[in-house]
Amino acid sequence: MTTPVVSIAYHSGYGHTAVIAAAVREGAAAAGATVHLIKVDEIDDAQWELLDGSDAIVFGSPTYMGTASGAFHRFAEDTSRRWFTDAWKDKLAAGFSNSGSKSGDKLHTLQFFATLAAQHGMHWVNLGLKPGWNSTEGSEHDLNRLGFFSGAAAQTNSDEGPEGVHKADIATAEHLGRRVAETARTFIAGRAAVAA
């Protein structure tokens, strides 16, 4: 069985998004993937090569002022070198974000990631979960408690540190990591079957 390679390219301003990135890593690794965590504000040439060699890239950033952080936007602009050569074409992509508010305009950040992926010709992997915490029988401990579909969304109170990241959001991010790894394995097998 082929081992998919999943890279998580993320920025974390205060540590909250790093907790979510680690959870995505755990989920992907549990599904049998080789996983690389890459901080986009510290990226070097070797890490760019890891991204180029990945089957899937998961983008992550806090949502600041309605979009991804400035550090992530700089990384996104730097990917244009890959765009010119189609280096990421037909890779898988997914995304996650954290903010202080329940919504916090995280959808815009996830849409920004999806647009970035589309410009590279990548295939977007959504969360694949029904929304939680949307009935009288639901609770804040449900997976996908914030009801996002495009990717994993997390909410952490603005007066709490990384230890305050909600356990349900961590579990939701783990789910995303597993889904990306499993989808990558399916894509790899499909390409091999078509080539045969």
Side-chain angles (χ1 to χ4, degrees), residues 50-136:
L50 288 175
L51 291 173
D52 294 344
S54 298
D55 299 299
I57 302 173
V58 185
F59 302 124
S61 169
T63 295
Y64 293 155
M65 303 308 291
T67 189
S69 66
F72 193 93
H73 273 271
R74 177 174 180 149
F75 162 77
E77 291 178 17
D78 288 345
T79 69
S80 63
R81 294 177 189 165
R82 270 71 194 160
W83 179 84
F84 280 110
T85 62
D86 288 328
W88 293 358
K89 187 174 182 178
D90 292 328
K91 293 183 185 299
L92 299 179
F96 60 92
S97 186
N98 180 84
S99 71
S101 300
K102 297 289 189 283
S103 171
D105 291 322
K106 288 185 282 281
L107 178 59
H108 184 261
T109 300
L110 293 171
Q111 290 171 332
F112 168 69
F113 293 156
T115 300
L116 174 64
Q119 290 199 348
H120 281 284
M122 302 170 81
H123 303 285
W124 189 257
V125 179
N126 59 50
L127 185 57
L129 281 176
K130 296 285 194 292
W133 201 16
N134 66 354
S135 72
T136 56

